[in-house]
Amino acid sequence: MIERTPILNAVTHTILGVGLLVMCFPLVIAFVAATLPYEAVIDVPMTLIPGGQLLENAVKAWERGEFATQGVNSVIMTLGILFGKIACASLTAFAICYFNFRFRMLAFWLIFITLMLPLEVRIVPTYEVAGNALLPLQQLLDVLWLTDLVAWLSGVEIALEWNLLDTYWGLTLPLFASATATFLFRQFFLTIPEELAEAAKMDGAGPLRFFFQILLPLSKTNIAALSVIMFVFGWNQYLWPLLITTDPEMRTLVMGLENLIPSEDELPEWNVAMAGTLMVMLPPIVVVLVLQRWFVRGLLGGEK
Amino acid sequence: MANVSMRQVRKSFGATEVIHGIDIEIGDGEFAVIVGPSGCGKSTLLRMIAGLEAVTAGEVAIGDRVVNDLEPKERDVAMVFQNYGLYPHMTAFQNISYALRIARRSKAEIRERVERVARILGIEDLLARKPSQLSGGQRQRVAMGRAIIREPDVFLFDEPLSNLDAKLRSQMRVEIKRLHDELKATSIFVTHDQVEAMTMADRLVVMNQGVIEQTGTPRQVYRRPGSTYVAGFIGAPAMNLLPATLSDDGAAVEGRGMGRIALPNGAGPDRSGRRVMLGVRPEHLAVVADGSGGLLAARLLYAEDLGASRLLHCAVGEDELIVHTQDETGDRPGDTLRLAADPANLHLFDAESGRRLEAVDGG
C-alpha cells in the first residue's frame, strides 16, 4: 500500500519499536550478564553496561557444560532430523503426487491429520516404541499367532528387539515424520507442469531417476527453506532428548544448559550460564541469517 | 520407420467415454495431421499412441508390434509437447541429450549426435543456455531436438505451435515440414488450427467429439467435405451453408431467398422434398452483373478489405453468407448483389445427419 499517513506511520513504528524492545530485552540482559564478572552479576539491580569477561565466562561454560561432547551430539541430532525429515517428506510427497494408487487420498489425509499430533501429544506411546522399535511388528506377529506357530514348529521363540534408548537413532528417528514438510513438498510438486513428468517418461527415465534428476534439483529452494525451519526445530529439541537419553554422553547442548543453571547450594554464577546460553543460541541464528534469502524465496515459491 | 495403426480404439475416463472406437492406418513416413476443436479427443488419441494414456479397448500398433501394454520408452516414439516440457534446470545441451544419457551412450557419441541435431535445427549457439534464457521459438527448437536425437520410429506433435506468435508459427510450420522431408519418419501432428492442418498434412484426419469425421488428403477433404461439420471446419472463412429443399424431381434445390438452383448431376427423385443444406465456399462465389442470371441475390451487409482480396458479408433472406472475392467494384452496404457459382462447386448435405449426399456430388 502506498499512502501518505504520517500519524499512522508513527503509530505503526511505535508498535514495531515496542515489539522489538520486548523481544530483544531478554537477549540484551543475557548478553550483558554473559560479559560481567561474578561480583557484578549478583548485584541488584544488575547493571546494563557490558563488562569485559565474555571470553572467560564462555570458556568456563564450555568446560562446565561439557559442550564438546554435547555439541557433537547436538549437531548429529539436528542434521539427522534435518536429512531424515527432508528425505521422508520428499519421498512421501512424491508418492502422493505422482502415483495413482488405491487410498491415495486417504494416505494424504492421514498424513495431514498428524499435523494436529505433535510429539508432545504422542510422547508416551512413542517412548514405548523407542524402547523397542520392533515392538509393533512383534505385536502384529503375536496377534496373528505367528509367534506361537513358529515356536511350535521350530522351537524358536520370536522376540524382536531394537532398543533406541540412548542412541542417535533414538534421538532422530521418531522425529523423521513431518506433515508440514510433506505438505510443503506436495504443494510444490503440484506446481510442476505435468509435461515434465511425461517428457521424462518419453525420454526413458524411471520414477526414481525422475525424482532424483528432475524433481529434487527443481526443489532446491524449497529444500533450503525447509532446512532452515527444520534446523531450528531440531536444534531446539528438549523434551524428547531429555526423555530418551540417560547416558550423559548422549546429552545435547540444549539439555546441557540445565547443568549450567546454578542450583541452591552453588554459587549463582549467572554470568557463566548466560555465556553458555549465548553459545547454544548461536548456530540457529547463523543458519537463519545465512539462508534467509533462500528461506523467503522458497516459501514464496519463486524461481529467481 | 513404421506405420501406426489404431483398431477400434476406445478411451474412457471413469464412466465417460471420450474416444468412441477409432480406426486409423497411418503409413510409414506419412505426415498425418489430426485436427479438431478442443475437447474432441485428438490429444488423448496422441497420448495413447505415446503410451502416456492407457487404452481402454481396442488395439494400438506401431510397425507390427501391438504396443498397448508397452511403456512409452519401449515404443520408440518421441513427442514434442505443447508447452515444450523442457527441464528448467538443464541447459539446452542437457535437455537434448537426456535420453541418450539415460541410455548410457558414450560421451563422444552424445556430443556428436547433439551437435548434428543442433546443426539441423540451427541452435548450435544456444546449447549452453537454460530454457529460461531462450525465446519461445528457440525453446520449440530445443524441444524438437530432444525428439529428433532419439531417431524414433514415430514423431508425435501435440499442438507444438500454439504458443508461438503468428509469424514464428508459419515459419516453424515450414521448418517442421522440411524436417520431415529430410528425416522421413512417420509423424503425427495434433492441432486445432485448420491452416496448420491444410498446409502440413500428407493425410488429414478430422475429429469431432471422439469420432473421426473424415480422413483424406487435405485437397480431398477441402474439395469434398464429408459432412457439414468438416465443411465448416476446414477452410477459412468457413463454407457457407444455406438451408434448402430438394425439388420434386430431385434435380434442383429451392430455398429461402434463392431461386431454383439446378444441380448438375441431380439427386434422384427418391430424395425429392428432402431438407438439405446447400454448401458453397466463399471463394467459389463470384459477384456478377445484374440481369446475367446467377445463383441468388444477396444484400451486402458490410465488406472487409484484406488488401489482396475482400470478404463480403451478405444476407440471403435470414441467412448470412460470405463471399471471398478479388473483385474491387465499389459496392456499398445495402446494395443487392447477384452471386454466381460453378455448379461443380456446390455441395449438398443431409439437413438431419449432416452427411454429404454423394449422388449429387459435383466435385
Side-chain angles (χ1 to χ4, degrees):
Chain A
M1 264 198 293
I2 300 169
E3 280 180 55
R4 263 175 215 287
T5 48
I7 298 174
L8 216 65
N9 279 352
V11 171
T12 45
H13 276 112
T14 316
I15 296 175
L16 260 179
V18 171
L20 198 67
L21 219 66
V22 171
M23 289 282 289
C24 288
F25 193 63
L27 285 178
V28 172
I29 296 266
F31 176 72
V32 172
T35 61
L36 293 177
Y38 173 64
E39 299 75 34
V41 85
I42 53 171
D43 260 359
V44 180
M46 195 189 90
T47 169
L48 283 179
I49 297 151
Q53 288 262 29
L54 183 60
L55 215 60
E56 289 88 331
N57 290 338
V59 170
K60 228 186 243 178
W62 183 276
E63 282 161 2
R64 197 178 298 171
E66 293 166 53
F67 276 15
T69 339
Q70 294 176 1
V72 171
N73 290 343
S74 262
V75 168
I76 291 177
M77 178 183 75
T78 307
L79 293 183
I81 292 176
L82 181 70
F83 285 114
K85 267 186 192 289
I86 285 172
C88 205
S90 56
L91 278 170
T92 315
F94 178 53
I96 287 177
C97 290
Y98 285 93
F99 292 87
N100 204 353
F101 52 92
R102 202 186 285 238
F103 305 128
R104 183 165 76 135
M105 283 322 278
L106 182 72
F108 172 68
W109 282 108
L110 283 179
I111 293 167
F112 198 61
I113 283 170
T114 61
L115 265 181
M116 287 181 280
L117 297 173
L119 182 72
E120 288 73 11
V121 177
R122 54 187 165 90
I123 201 156
V124 173
T126 310
Y127 183 81
E128 201 186 342
V129 172
N132 178 7
L134 297 177
L135 186 68
L137 192 62
Q138 173 84 49
Q139 281 172 345
L140 189 70
L141 291 180
D142 288 349
V143 167
L144 295 175
W145 299 84
L146 284 175
T147 349
D148 294 337
L149 187 68
V150 173
W152 179 70
L153 283 176
S154 61
V156 180
E157 176 101 16
I158 297 183
L160 302 170
E161 181 154 0
W162 183 24
N163 189 342
L164 297 180
L165 300 180
D166 274 327
T167 63
Y168 288 125
W169 281 115
L171 281 173
T172 52
L173 194 60
L175 298 169
F176 274 9
S178 165
T180 328
T182 309
F183 189 67
L184 272 174
F185 269 111
R186 173 186 177 264
Q187 292 309 98
F188 176 72
F189 288 168
L190 290 183
T191 66
I192 290 179
E194 232 170 284
E195 278 191 356
L196 238 47
E198 290 173 351
K201 237 190 249 176
M202 300 294 296
D203 274 344
L208 275 182
R209 190 189 287 273
F210 173 68
F211 179 71
F212 284 112
Q213 294 188 343
I214 292 167
L215 268 190
L216 278 193
L218 289 176
S219 314
K220 257 190 319 203
T221 47
N222 205 42
I223 290 174
L226 268 175
S227 302
V228 175
I229 304 177
M230 293 314 164
F231 186 91
V232 176
F233 170 86
W235 187 266
N236 288 341
Q237 280 305 311
Y238 179 65
L239 186 59
W240 181 249
L242 196 63
L243 202 67
I244 197 153
T245 60
T246 43
D247 186 351
E249 289 293 298
M250 290 304 296
R251 296 166 73 94
T252 64
L253 280 179
V254 177
M255 293 163 71
L257 274 184
E258 208 213 345
N259 278 3
L260 292 178
I261 294 171
S263 56
E264 282 168 34
D265 31 72
E266 279 175 32
L267 286 176
E269 282 186 286
W270 285 105
N271 49 346
V272 177
M274 288 304 141
T277 315
L278 283 187
M279 281 190 284
V280 174
M281 262 178 354
L282 216 54
I285 290 177
V286 170
V287 166
V288 170
L289 285 182
V290 171
L291 289 179
Q292 73 164 327
R293 204 163 54 95
W294 289 88
F295 178 66
V296 173
R297 198 192 284 169
L299 287 191
L300 293 180
E303 255 292 301
K304 270 156 235 177
Chain B
M1 299 285 153
N3 54 326
V4 175
S5 40
M6 307 189 90
R7 294 186 269 275
Q8 276 303 306
V9 168
R10 291 171 184 275
K11 173 73 189 174
S12 308
F13 291 106
T16 22
E17 191 174 81
V18 291
I19 304 270
H20 312 289
I22 277 194
D23 291 285
I24 315 184
E25 186 71 38
I26 294 163
D28 184 16
E30 220 173 7
F31 197 105
V33 175
I34 303 177
V35 66
S38 48
C40 72
K42 57 189 190 299
S43 283
T44 310
L45 201 64
L46 194 74
R47 294 162 55 84
M48 283 196 285
I49 301 172
L52 296 171
E53 213 65 83
V55 179
T56 310
E59 223 172 53
V60 179
I62 298 174
D64 36 20
R65 285 192 304 170
V66 172
V67 294
N68 281 29
D69 298 323
L70 292 185
E71 288 288 313
K73 62 176 172 189
E74 299 163 327
R75 298 189 179 197
D76 215 355
V77 296
M79 185 153 170
V80 179
F81 293 89
Q82 180 170 12
N83 298 308
Y84 319 131
L86 296 177
Y87 313 120
H89 60 296
M90 296 187 192
T91 63
F93 183 95
Q94 290 168 325
N95 262 290
I96 293 175
S97 62
Y98 192 53
L100 295 186
R101 283 186 286 144
I102 290 176
R104 298 191 187 283
R105 298 304 174 89
S106 73
K107 279 236 167 66
E109 185 195 342
I110 291 176
R111 173 148 293 282
E112 192 221 300
R113 278 172 74 172
V114 172
E115 273 164 9
R116 195 174 59 221
V117 166
R119 210 163 33 244
I120 295 175
L121 294 166
I123 51 172
E124 294 108 313
D125 306 336
L126 308 174
L127 288 178
R129 295 209 202 155
K130 291 200 173 166
S132 58
Q133 299 162 314
L134 298 171
S135 70
Q138 292 167 336
R139 279 180 214 185
Q140 177 67 69
R141 272 170 231 249
V142 174
M144 297 209 334
R146 193 169 58 173
I148 293 171
I149 195 153
R150 292 176 41 205
E151 298 170 1
D153 281 345
V154 180
F155 282 107
L156 305 173
F157 298 88
D158 189 3
E159 308 207 17
L161 305 182
S162 57
N163 283 336
L164 302 177
D165 61 53
K167 197 173 154 214
L168 252 174
R169 199 179 308 167
S170 55
Q171 190 186 330
M172 287 308 286
R173 221 158 57 202
V174 178
E175 252 176 69
I176 292 179
K177 202 50 189 154
R178 205 202 65 214
L179 211 62
H180 173 252
D181 291 341
E182 214 166 291
L183 301 173
K184 303 251 186 292
T186 313
S187 303
I188 304 175
F189 189 104
V190 158
T191 180
H192 61 261
D193 183 318
Q194 59 97 15
V195 179
E196 272 169 33
M198 282 297 290
T199 51
M200 302 179 78
D202 293 333
R203 163 116 65 129
L204 195 54
V205 179
V206 185
M207 272 187 79
N208 185 30
Q209 298 183 343
V211 294
I212 291 179
E213 287 272 342
Q214 192 176 0
T215 326
T217 65
R219 189 103 304 256
Q220 283 167 351
V221 174
Y222 175 82
R223 292 291 302 172
R224 298 178 49 182
S227 64
T228 48
Y229 179 80
V230 178
F233 197 81
I234 299 295
M239 180 186 284
N240 299 302
L241 291 166
L242 300 169
T245 313
L246 273 176
S247 65
D248 288 344
D249 56 1
V253 288
E254 288 158 355
R256 284 178 305 197
M258 46 182 155
R260 197 182 143 86
I261 298 170
L263 299 168
N265 302 339
D270 54 319
R271 282 176 165 144
S272 65
R274 193 166 183 171
R275 286 182 32 250
V276 295
M277 298 296 277
L278 176 69
V280 57
R281 294 203 177 272
E283 53 272 37
H284 292 150
L285 280 170
V287 181
V288 292
D290 253 349
S292 62
L295 206 58
L296 39 83
R299 192 163 46 83
L300 181 63
L301 298 175
Y302 59 97
E304 280 182 287
D305 200 333
L306 303 179
S309 58
R310 292 191 310 152
L311 295 180
L312 307 177
H313 295 253
C314 306
V316 177
E318 284 162 31
D319 306 303
E320 285 193 20
L321 57 72
I322 296 175
V323 181
H324 193 178
T325 177
Q326 304 207 327
D327 185 34
E328 299 200 357
T329 42
D331 28 35
R332 280 191 307 275
D335 287 358
T336 300
L337 306 174
R338 292 296 303 171
L339 301 177
D342 181 347
N345 288 328
L346 296 180
H347 309 264
L348 271 195
F349 303 97
D350 188 276
E352 268 149 46
S353 70
R355 303 305 304 177
R356 182 182 191 84
L357 294 177
E358 285 298 337
V360 289
D361 211 299

